[in-house]
Amino acid sequence: MSVYLRPGQSLDAGKIGEILTDGNGANPWKPHLHSGAEDIGFCAKMIDRGWVTVACQDRRVLGFIARQEDEVHSLYVAAQAQGAGIGRMLLDDAKAARDRLELWTFQLNTGAQRFYLREGFTEVKRTDGQSNDEKLPDIRYLWTRKAKT
């Protein structure tokens, strides 16, 4: 069965909240600031705002991206679906809708850094993390569509 993308629906909040909680918990360096219930509530808000696209297979949610115009707020893939191109599929869909995308990732998240660089993003800024909730040093990335020549 092939993977397909669709807009997030209110009934997806539980599953994408679980993916978010599991993804954050998989990184021992990342502080746990929110409960699973709070993550579900946060995901429900992103869905209600129309930011969420989910990747599904056989009606199972495998990952999601939350994007508000040019800003990617979240991109998570369920652990069992990682390495199968789901993240790239979600990011390619976002790229098709915009001429530029921006996002943050933590400096300790070297896997995400490699992924974004491979996907054509460039680093534009580093901070000490004092402006984010986790207080962890982070990196701002930018992707822009190349002009056709």
Side-chain angles (χ1 to χ4, degrees):
M1 192 55 67
S2 63
V3 175
Y4 60 94
L5 303 182
R6 64 166 172 76
Q9 302 167 353
S10 58
L11 291 176
D12 296 324
K15 183 57 183 172
I16 69 171
E18 179 183 326
I19 292 170
L20 176 65
T21 300
D22 291 348
N24 289 335
N27 297 302
W29 48 262
K30 191 169 183 190
H32 300 280
L33 301 179
H34 306 286
S35 69
E38 289 171 325
D39 285 343
I40 291 169
F42 174 67
C43 289
K45 286 179 186 173
M46 292 191 298
I47 290 168
D48 288 346
R49 292 175 178 157
W51 296 357
V52 175
T53 299
V54 295
C56 300
Q57 185 177 44
D58 290 334
R59 289 187 247 153
R60 280 188 8 241
V61 176
L62 303 176
F64 73 97
I65 190 169
R67 179 184 56 80
Q68 177 189 21
E69 298 181 3
D70 293 348
E71 184 72 25
V72 175
H73 292 281
S74 298
L75 174 59
Y76 284 83
V77 176
Q80 69 275 15
Q82 290 179 4
I86 306 297
R88 178 178 294 125
M89 179 184 280
L90 288 161
L91 199 53
D92 284 349
D93 184 66
K95 287 176 177 179
R98 306 300 296 182
D99 287 334
R100 62 182 279 136
L101 293 172
E102 297 183 65
L103 55 86
W104 290 95
T105 194
F106 295 110
Q107 290 182 27
L108 290 170
N109 194 345
T110 56
Q113 291 174 51
R114 285 190 304 272
F115 173 73
Y116 292 124
L117 290 170
R118 205 172 43 242
E119 294 304 313
F121 283 77
T122 56
E123 181 181 322
V124 293
K125 180 179 182 179
R126 284 184 181 242
T127 79
D128 62 5
Q130 292 307 302
S131 296
N132 65 52
D133 292 342
E134 293 84 356
K135 303 299 182 217
L136 292 174
D138 54 6
I139 304 171
R140 181 79 166 166
Y141 283 101
L142 171 68
W143 169 85
T144 56
R145 183 179 317 284
K146 292 187 180 6
K148 295 180 182 179
T149 55

